Amino acid sequence: MSDNCPLSDLLESLLPVARKAGEVVMSVYATDFSVRDKDDASPVTEADERAEAVILAGLAALAPGIPVVAEEAVAAGRIPAIARRFWLVDPLDGTREFIKRNGEFTVNIALVEDGRPLLGVVFAPALDRLYAGTVGVGAFIEDANGRHAIHCRVPPAEGLTVVASRSHGDAAALDTFLAGRKVAKLASAGSSLKLCLIAAGEADLYPRLGRTMEWDIAAGHAVLAAAGGRVTRLDGNPLAYAKPGFENPHFAAWGFGEGTEHRAR
């Protein structure tokens, strides 16, 4: 898996794993499921746990030598020793959206190497949208229209489309971050779909000014990077992975490079 072809093959092998996990999620979604709070007060459902089991089994079959950091396993105290290459898994990102039944939740699988995501799959089963990408190769979406390539756009002259969290908003902090930027539209979306909307050229900027964990965004980060975008800390440096505790600082996801940012001001 050291060059583009094997990584692309690995990505293709991940797609049915993500789809199978999505089927499990939707089977629970169709029931009167119960919700519990984890130690950090975040919600968890049977869908999170069952989908994670499917993904862990799939990854063990595909790449048994690569450690897996998965959200529910970590919550249960099962944290593997990680090497320079490891998987990051969020079996159900947007559990709050799942509970609200608005469809904006995703299955997320990413491969990280040397602190950066190399490839990722983000599947929104209720929307029947699967985003995937390999850095250096490209990104694509699979939906009702089949598979087609996606890429970030140059911000339009009328201004940026900014996406923000549907369930974790901080309006004052967002206003401060956007001060001086030309914003045409502010949209809300749940889960890692925000990163994928930028990757698909449907939005330009996603500032996240609140708590997230690495598994929340790694797959979307990989798709965005494969589509030509970037994720940085607020100081402008790249967001890195394998941090102690796997917690992210505040960050921003961009669909445009530093050289084009002046067009959006």
Side-chain angles (χ1 to χ4, degrees):
M1 293 186 296
S2 60
D3 56 44
N4 290 338
C5 290
L7 279 176
S8 295
D9 290 347
L10 181 62
L11 181 67
E12 292 294 338
S13 298
L14 285 179
L15 305 188
V17 176
R19 288 191 178 279
K20 185 177 179 181
E23 290 174 6
V24 169
V25 167
M26 293 307 293
S27 71
V28 177
Y29 195 54
T31 69
D32 184 20
F33 57 85
S34 60
V35 182
R36 309 186 313 276
D37 281 342
K38 293 189 286 191
D39 290 345
D40 65 357
S42 63
V44 64
T45 71
E46 180 187 355
D48 299 74
E49 295 162 339
R50 288 179 56 191
E52 183 163 299
V54 166
I55 296 168
L56 292 178
L59 295 180
L62 283 175
I66 301 178
V68 183
V69 176
E71 180 179 15
E72 303 313 326
V74 171
R78 299 189 300 274
I79 306 173
I82 57 172
R84 57 187 294 263
R85 176 179 280 173
F86 66 100
W87 296 105
L88 272 169
V89 170
D90 189 342
L92 179 55
D93 185 40
T95 300
R96 287 181 172 85
E97 317 311 326
F98 182 84
I99 294 165
K100 294 175 187 174
R101 297 183 184 274
N102 68 13
E104 295 182 351
F105 48 85
T106 56
V107 174
N108 297 263
I109 308 171
L111 181 65
V112 173
E113 184 176 280
D114 295 331
R116 68 186 188 104
L118 285 185
L119 59 82
V121 179
V122 175
F123 180 40
L127 306 177
D128 191 25
R129 273 190 249 157
L130 184 149
Y131 299 88
T134 304
V135 175
V137 178
F140 59 86
I141 182 175
E142 290 183 353
D143 57 15
N145 298 314
R147 178 185 293 196
H148 56 273
I150 56 174
H151 51 81
C152 299
R153 68 182 184 182
V154 174
E158 58 266 28
L160 300 171
T161 293
V162 177
V163 283
S165 173
R166 191 177 295 285
S167 297
H168 304 275
D170 184 336
L174 182 62
D175 287 346
T176 298
F177 181 88
L178 294 175
R181 300 185 190 276
K182 186 178 182 182
V183 176
K185 181 181 178 183
L186 184 63
S188 294
S191 71
S192 54
L193 285 170
K194 295 179 284 293
L195 294 151
C196 295
L197 291 174
I198 300 173
E202 298 176 35
D204 305 294
L205 174 61
Y206 163 39
R208 180 54 187 249
L209 308 173
R211 185 175 186 264
T212 59
M213 305 301 289
E214 292 185 3
W215 47 76
D216 293 324
I217 66 164
H221 185 171
V223 173
L224 177 58
R230 59 196 173 101
V231 179
T232 67
R233 301 182 328 208
L234 297 189
D235 63 8
N237 289 312
L239 182 71
Y241 290 77
K243 298 180 292 295
F246 303 104
E247 187 168 352
N248 294 319
H250 294 181
F251 65 84
W254 314 79
F256 50 95
E258 295 177 73
T260 57
E261 187 172 353
H262 68 280
R263 295 186 53 173
R265 288 187 179 274

